Amino acid sequence: MNSKTKRYNLSDSTIRLVEEEDQFDFLCEGFDSPRARMSCGHVVTPMSLMKWCQQLLKQGKSRFVCGQSGCNAEWSYQEVCKMALLTPEEMKNFETLMALNAAAGNPNTKFCPGCMTPVTRGSSSNLYVCCQVCSAKTGHSFGFCWQCLREWKGQQPRSDRCENDDCHNSALKTLRECPEVKIDKVKGCPSVRACPTCGSLIQHTGIGCKTVICPRCKMSFCFGCLKSGYCGISDICSGGITPRQTFIPVWQRK
């Protein structure tokens, strides 16, 4: 379906069609479609709804809120997909932006692969996450892997991987396999480090001093010993070169 010609099907009994104005046609574009009522009671067309949700995603949102005056109702992703008549390509784009926005807003939140509902991780030492929404719908516990974002396979709890094929932590693999680099005459330092504050991966080319500033959380730390702040200009860190990291720090923002 071409997004420019999206129209509700008059024979679709699952959509509540109404003879009212499109309340989300903010630019008065006059979208050529019957009008329908959302779960919150406000009226949309497929195009006006899609444009409003795209605007929310551009603003860095990962959830869809009505936003009409006095209405803070949250629409489920499933409702947005249905009422905006999203194509498979549009859904893929939405889901990518939702995941990116959620990660930027809260590193402990990801989207359930079964229903695309935001789920907060309970423990950083367990990759198994239970989705309450999917569990309620299916009548049995539905869990997914925080690492590969697929339905969980194998025993749990586990902190390394689930039993899905090719389930691995790409960031840890980078930390494990990156080449060494010479920094401030200090040899044997891994060329990639996970920021000790937020966990973002940072690469050092060997040019410049040991102290770096994380572009994500803006914290400074020594690339050699991973201590926060300025480590000095000595060729050797006071605590020595910290070995390759074996876990990704989780940003505990306050």
Side-chain angles (χ1 to χ4, degrees), residues 108 120-129 146 157-159 250:
N108 289 323
T120 300
R121 187 180 187 182
S123 171
S124 60
S125 62
N126 187 8
L127 290 174
Y128 175 86
V129 185
W146 189 261
R158 284 186 65 170
S159 61
V250 177

Side-chain angles (χ1 to χ4, degrees), residues 3-21:
S3 62
K4 293 183 179 180
T5 61
K6 287 185 178 184
R7 289 178 52 86
Y8 290 129
N9 187 339
L10 293 174
S11 63
D12 188 344
S13 61
T14 66
I15 296 177
R16 293 185 295 169
L17 299 177
V18 295
E19 294 291 336
E20 298 180 28
E21 292 297 321

